[in-house]
């Protein structure tokens, strides 16, 4: 169940990615529409982070290619924003929250130029959007896990990109904040940005994503949420984990009977 | 105690070297690469020998270029061993610098009949001889001690380098992947930093020697890091420590009539242990205040 779109924002062609000659993503072929909030679902080790990293050019593909805004990555880097998994950095680094968020503006600044008033303002706006203004001058080593995650989201917002790639941005973030940020991402999508989010909670995935990619080493599905969030495809993605699947089927059923469903 | 021109020049040179090393050391520390600095300071030896062999002089540009190239080579080698051959970082460092250092020693012996490389000088250095080693122009003009000029030039280049690339250096130290993702070349910045470390090491050899230069790369930044957790104060404190080390090192060495470079590093060590005693997580009783640390705390 793979839906291709005309004039895609992101196209991935027959992508195979390997670590040490051992492929972990096989023949992924998909295209994504602009202006949507897109979820990437799949079990641990499915290759979700690998897919995002190869889109960002951090891992060279074994075969296949990727085009963003119909161009190779190098030409459009400043239009793409990236939220790595939180564990990828050492949070003991001596920097304040504001310092880290300002880093989001470095791509547009280019080499040698220093961030000025404008960049600091952009960073402060981003902090406000994730509700972290009060922490601007706090050292990042003194934040809780969820707060660190929000700093990473703010840094991505400060990039003012057109395409956002977020690897589990909500890991450890409380429900209220998650919902608030999801709404923010929805607004951004409505404003024409494309937002890709790796996500583990199927419940909120049902609520917020418009387009869903399901991955398990192979591409299982990519299409509008209503068409791909089916029991059969979820079973294909997650294997026969029955407990989870009954929950999901319940959810799907509930949504079907929900008269307020959008 | 005296404060004559010579004393002033030695202290100035010592401080310049300590600050240059300290600034670079801060970034090595943040990248958890302090030992790479150690590796580079040894690995440059074959580069020095070859540069010396080519030019016939210990103080030529060729020596600095040779050392710089070897410094970069050792960085690349450590990285390749770690990423491609999957050797642990500490082992890759150990293998790389001992191997290159050994090659350097073999080269010294091979070329021994051709060149008169002062191994003592490369390994230990002696800042005290600085006032008699003057830079005299062909027209006979005396411009003062050559080593002070070298240290000044080094200081100027290191400060300029860090000033220009401050945002790139801090970003790549914090989050290498993100920086590559937004198009700031993390690998290139890293190599540039390592080249600066190589150049600084070589430029400081004659005054403080190949071994003590490592201490100046590692100890003052680590000391400062015990006191502050933000970057700009960290650099400032490191610089202040550099100056203090040079002054105290000189006078203590003068007082007990010993090696100035050795005393500078001993003073740095004393500062470090003093700070560690005050700021560290010692069990109650070993220090005056604050909570005992849990057993599993490192
Ligand atoms: N650096 C690496 N070297 C070798 N194998 C790796 C490396 N990184 C990931 N893998 C393997 O690639 C596969 C996909 O990993 P990936 O990190 O993309 O999974 P994921 O879908 O993001 O999982 P998670 O939900 O746990 O984040 C896994 O089987 C993993 O073991
Ligand atoms: Mg992952």
């Amino acid at each position: 169940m793979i839906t291709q779109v005309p004039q895609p924002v992101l196209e991935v062609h027959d992508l195979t990615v390997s670590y040490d000659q051992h492929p972990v993503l096989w023949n992924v072929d998909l295209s994504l529409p602009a202006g949507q909030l897109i979820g990437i679902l799949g079990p641990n080790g499915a290759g979700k982070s690998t897919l995002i990293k190869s889109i960002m050019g951090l891992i060279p593909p074994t075969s296949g290619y990727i085009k963003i805004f119909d161009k190779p990555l190098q030409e459009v880097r400043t239009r793409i924003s990236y939220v790595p998994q939180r564990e990828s950095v050492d949070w003991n680094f001596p920097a304040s929250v504001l310092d880290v968020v300002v880093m989001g503006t470095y791509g547009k600044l280019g080499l040698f130029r220093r961030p000025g008033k404008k960049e600091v303002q952009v960073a402060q706006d981003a902090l406000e959007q994730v509700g972290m203004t009060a922490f601007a001058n706090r050292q990042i080593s003194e934040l809780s896990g969820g707060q660190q995650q929000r700093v990473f989201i703010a840094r991505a917002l400060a990039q003012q990109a057109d395409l956002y790639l977020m690897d589990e941005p909500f890991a450890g973030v409380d429900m209220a904040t998650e919902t608030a940020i999801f709404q923010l991402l929805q607004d951004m999508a409505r404003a024409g940005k494309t937002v890709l989010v790796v996500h583990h909670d199927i419940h909120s995935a049902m609520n917020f994503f418009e387009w869903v990619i399901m991955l398990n080493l192979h591409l299982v599905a990519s299409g509008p949420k209503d068409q791909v969030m089916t029991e059969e495809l979820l079973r294909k993605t997650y294997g026969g984990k029955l407990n989870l699947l009954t929950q999901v089927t319940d959810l799907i059923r509930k949504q079907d009977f929900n008269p307020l469903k959008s | 105690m005296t404060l004559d021109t010579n004393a002033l020049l030695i202290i100035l040179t010592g401080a310049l070297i300590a600050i240059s090393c300290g600034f670079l050391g801060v970034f090595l520390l943040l990248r958890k690469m302090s030992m790479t600095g150690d590796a580079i300071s040894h690995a440059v030896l074959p580069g020095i020998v070859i540069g010396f062999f080519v030019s016939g002089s210990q103080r030529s540009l060729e020596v600095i270029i040779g050392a710089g190239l070897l410094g970069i080579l050792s960085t690349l080698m450590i990285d390749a061993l770690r990423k491609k051959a999957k050797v642990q970082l500490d082992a890759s460092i150990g293998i790389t610098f001992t191997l290159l250092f050994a090659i350097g020693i073999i080269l010294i012996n091979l070329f021994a009949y051709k060149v008169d490389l002062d191994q003592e000088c490369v390994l230990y250095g002696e800042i005290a001889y600085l006032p008699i080693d003057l830079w005299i122009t062909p027209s006979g003009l005396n411009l003062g001690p050559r080593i002070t000029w070298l240290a000044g030039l080094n200081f100027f280049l290191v400060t300029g380098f860090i000033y220009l690339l401050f945002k790139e250096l801090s970003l790549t130290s914090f989050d290498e992947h993100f920086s590559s993702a937004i198009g700031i070349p993390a690998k290139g910045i890293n190599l540039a930093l390592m080249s600066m470390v190589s150049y600084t090491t070589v430029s400081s050899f004659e005054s403080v020697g190949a071994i003590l230069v490592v201490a100046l790369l590692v100890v003052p930044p680590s000391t400062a890091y015990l006191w502050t957790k933000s970057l700009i104060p960290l650099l400032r404190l490191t610089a202040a420590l550099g100056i203090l080390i040079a002054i105290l090192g000189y006078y203590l060495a003068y007082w007990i009539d010993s090696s100035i470079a050795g005393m500078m590093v001993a003073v740095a060590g004393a500062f470090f242990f003093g700070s560690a005693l005050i700021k560290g997580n010692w069990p109650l009783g070993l220090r005056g205040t604050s909570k005992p640390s849990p057993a599993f705390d490192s």
Side-chain angles (χ1 to χ4, degrees):
Chain A
M1 179 49 243
I2 293 155
T3 310
Q4 305 283 356
V5 296
Q7 287 160 355
V9 166
L10 171 73
E11 26 177 340
V12 175
H13 279 284
D14 271 331
L15 184 78
T16 297
V17 184
S18 328
Y19 291 109
D20 312 318
Q21 276 111 43
H22 177 72
V24 296
L25 267 185
W26 296 85
N27 293 325
V28 173
D29 199 280
L30 56 81
S31 53
L32 298 174
Q36 298 223 351
L37 184 51
I38 300 169
I40 303 183
L41 302 182
N44 292 140
K48 304 180 296 295
S49 300
T50 306
L51 177 63
I52 293 221
K53 283 182 192 156
S54 39
I55 294 173
M56 284 309 312
L58 299 174
I59 307 173
T62 310
S63 68
Y65 67 94
I66 291 159
K67 268 189 166 179
I68 305 171
F69 306 118
D70 206 26
K71 295 200 174 89
L73 172 73
Q74 290 308 333
E75 293 172 32
V76 289
R77 266 197 198 279
T78 55
R79 295 177 61 194
I80 312 168
S81 165
Y82 171 53
V83 181
Q85 270 181 294
R86 171 161 50 91
E87 305 77 49
S88 62
V89 303
D90 176 10
W91 288 90
N92 282 319
F93 190 84
S96 71
V97 166
L98 189 64
D99 291 340
V100 171
V101 179
V102 169
M103 287 176 184
T105 65
Y106 287 3
K108 283 208 169 73
L109 273 176
L111 281 178
F112 303 121
R113 281 181 52 212
R114 274 155 192 271
K117 274 210 184 73
K118 185 171 145 246
E119 283 72 26
V120 171
Q121 189 56 50
V122 167
Q124 246 144 9
D125 292 346
L127 274 176
E128 197 178 331
Q129 289 179 307
V130 299
M132 289 284 290
T133 306
F135 295 87
N137 295 316
R138 181 83 69 96
Q139 288 302 116
I140 56 170
S141 52
E142 297 162 1
L143 297 177
S144 76
Q147 290 167 338
Q148 292 173 347
Q149 195 62 64
R150 280 151 77 173
V151 171
F152 259 13
I153 298 175
R155 183 177 69 173
L157 296 177
Q159 283 183 261
Q160 302 188 308
D162 296 314
L163 171 66
Y164 291 80
L165 304 172
M166 305 190 168
D167 200 348
E168 299 190 31
F170 300 116
V173 171
D174 63 63
M175 282 297 280
T177 311
E178 180 182 315
T179 308
I181 294 174
F182 254 130
Q183 274 156 2
L184 176 73
L185 298 181
Q186 275 181 327
D187 290 344
M188 286 163 51
R190 236 167 266 141
K193 318 264 186 192
T194 308
V195 186
L196 245 82
V197 179
V198 174
H199 198 55
H200 278 300
D201 179 37
I202 298 185
H203 188 188
S204 46
M206 294 289 267
N207 282 331
F208 293 106
F209 293 129
E210 300 159 89
W211 188 284
V212 170
I213 297 169
M214 292 188 200
L215 207 60
N216 194 351
L217 305 180
H218 295 266
L219 182 65
V220 178
S222 164
K225 175 185 75 180
D226 298 333
Q227 292 174 29
V228 299
M229 288 295 259
T230 63
E231 192 184 336
E232 185 210 342
L233 288 175
L234 282 166
R235 191 182 293 281
K236 257 174 108 176
T237 311
Y238 286 94
K241 285 163 197 149
L242 212 66
N243 189 13
L244 171 83
L245 284 176
T246 24
Q247 268 179 23
V248 170
T249 331
D250 280 355
L251 262 172
I252 294 172
R253 213 167 285 135
K254 253 187 248 156
Q255 293 240 332
D256 281 343
F257 288 113
N258 185 352
L260 296 173
K261 193 187 127 196
S262 58
Chain B
M1 299 261 153
T2 52
L3 189 72
D4 52 30
T5 339
N6 285 350
L8 210 62
L9 278 173
I10 291 176
I11 291 173
L12 173 70
T13 312
L16 287 172
I17 293 173
I19 297 174
S20 309
C21 291
F23 278 172
L24 295 173
V26 164
F27 287 99
L28 292 178
L29 179 76
L30 294 181
R31 290 161 182 254
K32 309 194 186 337
M33 289 176 81
S34 296
M35 289 318 284
T36 309
D38 184 4
I40 286 178
S41 70
H42 287 74
V44 294
L45 187 62
I48 294 177
V49 180
I50 293 170
F52 190 14
F53 181 69
V54 171
S55 67
S57 154
Q58 200 165 315
R59 6 199 105 139
S60 61
L61 194 62
E62 285 88 337
V63 170
I64 290 186
I65 294 174
L69 288 179
L70 257 291
I72 293 174
L73 176 74
S74 64
T75 315
L76 292 175
M77 206 167 133
I78 291 169
D79 216 44
L81 282 179
R82 193 163 66 93
K83 298 226 172 94
K84 299 279 185 295
K86 306 265 183 225
V87 181
Q88 292 280 334
L89 178 61
D90 49 358
S92 339
I93 290 176
I95 293 165
T96 304
F97 89 80
T98 45
L99 183 66
L100 291 174
F101 192 68
I103 293 176
I105 291 180
I106 294 174
L107 286 178
I108 288 185
N109 286 318
L110 277 183
F111 296 154
Y113 65 100
K114 282 245 168 81
V115 296
D116 174 28
L117 184 70
D118 185 353
Q119 295 180 43
E120 289 278 299
C121 170
V122 171
L123 287 182
Y124 305 115
E126 191 40 89
I127 200 169
Y129 297 150
L130 160 161
I132 51 171
D133 180 5
L134 299 170
W135 180 21
I136 296 171
T137 59
S139 55
L141 190 63
N142 180 357
L143 291 173
R146 189 181 53 87
I147 289 180
T148 308
W149 282 104
L150 273 184
L153 176 69
N154 185 221
F155 172 80
F156 177 74
L157 291 176
V158 167
T159 325
F161 172 76
I162 287 176
Y163 179 81
L164 276 180
L165 285 175
F166 187 75
K167 96 175 187 296
E168 287 76 10
L169 284 167
S170 40
L171 175 60
T172 50
S173 305
F174 174 57
D175 191 345
E176 196 185 323
H177 269 171
F178 183 76
S179 102
S180 311
I182 65 174
I184 288 178
K187 287 222 173 68
I189 302 283
N190 192 37
L191 276 184
L193 176 64
M194 294 309 152
S195 318
M196 284 314 279
V197 173
S198 316
Y199 157 58
T200 303
T201 323
V202 181
S203 164
S204 316
F205 272 173
E206 285 176 89
S207 14
V208 295
I211 296 168
L212 295 186
V213 74
V214 183
L216 294 180
L217 282 170
V218 180
V219 183
S222 310
T223 312
Y225 196 61
L226 288 170
W227 291 97
T228 174
K229 293 284 179 281
S230 43
L231 191 48
I232 302 280
L234 188 57
L235 288 166
R236 287 210 183 107
L237 191 55
T238 303
L241 278 171
I243 297 171
L244 223 56
I245 288 167
I247 298 174
L248 290 176
Y250 175 79
Y251 282 113
L252 284 176
Y254 183 82
W255 183 44
I256 65 166
D257 193 19
S258 173
S259 149
I260 297 170
M263 194 53 87
M264 278 175 65
V265 172
V267 169
F271 274 121
F272 176 80
F273 282 110
S275 308
L277 216 53
I278 296 168
K279 301 298 275 190
N281 270 326
W282 305 101
L284 217 62
L286 254 183
R287 62 171 185 167
T289 50
S290 210
K291 62 196 185 295
S293 67
F296 50 83
D297 213 281
S298 58

